[in-house]
């Protein structure tokens, strides 16, 4: 399977990568749905509730306790998957990374064209005056972070109950639709509407790199069940 993936990469200059939480687990960031993921840990409220727009508005202080504790990982560094994808872009083969992750590790590894469907913890903004802040506005504050104007600072991430950014969505769909090869990695493809983007692919080859089965396995030309960092290191970096 590794040889098949290597040949596809060698033969194409129009690849798009679509990734999820599994891309960052090798950097020490837990995913949501694994055995020890956030959905299987116990809090006063379920993570889906805490990470919702309505909860943020009603219980902002409680939201930030969870958010600082579980959604921000300042020590995380890009792993082999991030580094390999940045290299493929530098080689002119990879045209875009479409990610459901909010950790900014693709950019840290050097990727330039990254469509963050669910936003980024690195960006935050005042809900009153729209002034933007970096991550330190959250990490260096206690309780609810406030803007100089007095407004509440909100992470620029898509919470449950919020829609995806239109511009980011259009660019991601366009990139997927134009690709010859679509590499899907580290995602269960169960999160919608993001997972539905796969249906826009009109190319010839779909590669699925994921430890568990997905609803799109029957559409894939190549399926690899190994950790994505291990796979891309072997195929791209070695």
């Amino acid at each position: 399977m590794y040889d098949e993936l290597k040949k596809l990469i060698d033969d194409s200059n129009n690849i798009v990568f679509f990734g999820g939480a599994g891309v960052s687990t090798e950097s020490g960031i837990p995913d949501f749905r694994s055995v020890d993921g956030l959905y299987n840990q116990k809090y006063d409220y379920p993570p889906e509730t805490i990470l919702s727009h309505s909860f943020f508005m009603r219980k902002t202080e409680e939201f930030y306790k969870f958010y600082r504790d579980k959604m921000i990982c300042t020590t995380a560094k890009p792993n082999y998957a991030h580094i390999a994808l940045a290299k493929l872009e530098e080689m002119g083969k990879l045209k875009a990374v479409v990610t459901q992750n909010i950790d900014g590790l693709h950019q840290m590894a050097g990727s330039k064209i990254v469509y963050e469907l669910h936003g980024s913890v690195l960006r935050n903004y005042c809900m009153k005056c729209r002034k933007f802040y970096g991550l330190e506005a959250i990490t260096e504050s206690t309780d609810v972070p406030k803007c100089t104007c007095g407004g509440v600072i909100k992470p620029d991430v898509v919470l449950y109950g919020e829609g995806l950014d239109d511009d980011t969505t259009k660019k991601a769909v366009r990139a997927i639709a134009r690709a010859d090869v679509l590499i899907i990695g580290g995602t269960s493809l169960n999160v919608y509407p993001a997972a539905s983007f796969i249906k826009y692919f009109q190319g010839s080859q779909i590669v699925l790199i994921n430890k568990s089965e997905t609803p799109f396995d029957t559409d894939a030309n190549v399926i690899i069940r190994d950790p994505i960092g291990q796979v891309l290191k072997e195929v791209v970096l070695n």
Side-chain angles (χ1 to χ4, degrees):
M1 290 299 182
Y2 283 38
D3 289 341
E4 288 181 61
L5 175 56
K6 189 174 190 327
K7 186 174 187 329
L8 286 177
I9 291 173
D10 288 344
D11 292 347
S12 177
N13 289 314
N14 188 5
I15 304 168
V16 165
F17 178 80
F18 182 93
V23 177
S24 294
T25 52
E26 291 169 75
S27 294
I29 297 178
D31 69 0
F32 276 61
R33 291 174 172 77
S34 66
V35 174
D36 55 351
L38 289 181
Y39 284 166
N40 294 301
Q41 297 180 27
K42 302 299 181 186
Y43 298 95
D44 291 342
Y45 304 90
E48 305 99 309
T49 300
I50 300 174
L51 297 174
S52 68
H53 176 79
S54 58
F55 191 91
F56 176 83
M57 299 301 291
R58 287 185 296 106
K59 297 180 177 289
T60 313
E61 188 172 341
E62 196 75 21
F63 168 90
Y64 269 114
K65 285 180 183 176
F66 177 88
Y67 185 80
R68 287 190 182 95
D69 185 34
K70 294 298 179 183
M71 303 305 292
I72 296 174
C73 184
T74 56
T75 58
K77 303 295 181 189
N79 61 53
Y80 288 122
H82 301 104
I83 294 167
L85 291 167
K87 181 178 179 181
L88 288 176
E89 182 186 57
E90 187 181 343
M91 293 166 63
K93 291 186 168 295
L94 187 74
K95 300 307 179 190
V97 168
V98 180
T99 180
Q100 300 171 78
N101 296 340
I102 58 175
D103 49 48
L105 292 179
H106 284 293
Q107 292 93 327
M108 196 183 298
S111 290
K112 303 289 191 295
I113 303 175
V114 182
Y115 301 127
E116 297 171 307
L117 299 179
H118 297 151
S120 172
V121 297
L122 304 181
R123 299 188 303 270
N124 306 275
Y125 65 91
C126 172
M127 298 178 70
K128 186 176 179 182
C129 74
R130 309 301 290 186
K131 178 179 177 182
F132 266 80
Y133 288 87
L135 184 59
E136 66 280 355
I138 310 300
T139 57
E140 294 177 8
S141 62
T142 55
D143 300 326
V144 178
K146 295 288 184 68
C147 175
T148 51
C149 79
V152 172
I153 296 174
K154 178 185 181 295
D156 190 17
V157 299
V158 178
L159 301 177
Y160 289 99
E162 296 180 337
L164 304 186
D165 178 74
D166 282 345
D167 186 54
T168 303
T169 297
K170 288 175 183 174
K171 289 176 178 176
V173 166
R174 189 181 304 126
I176 291 171
R178 291 176 176 175
D180 295 329
V181 175
L182 179 63
I183 300 175
I184 303 168
T187 172
S188 61
L189 294 174
N190 284 317
V191 178
Y192 285 81
S196 65
F197 287 20
I198 305 305
K199 69 182 181 182
Y200 293 101
F201 178 65
Q202 300 173 40
S204 59
Q205 301 290 327
I206 294 180
V207 178
L208 244 171
I209 308 170
N210 198 55
K211 291 182 179 179
S212 58
E213 293 182 5
T214 81
F216 289 84
D217 281 9
T218 54
D219 299 317
N221 303 91
V222 177
I223 297 177
I224 300 175
R225 296 290 184 215
D226 297 330
I228 187 166
Q230 172 187 317
V231 175
L232 293 183
K233 178 189 179 187
E234 180 72 25
V235 172
V236 178
L237 300 177
N238 284 352

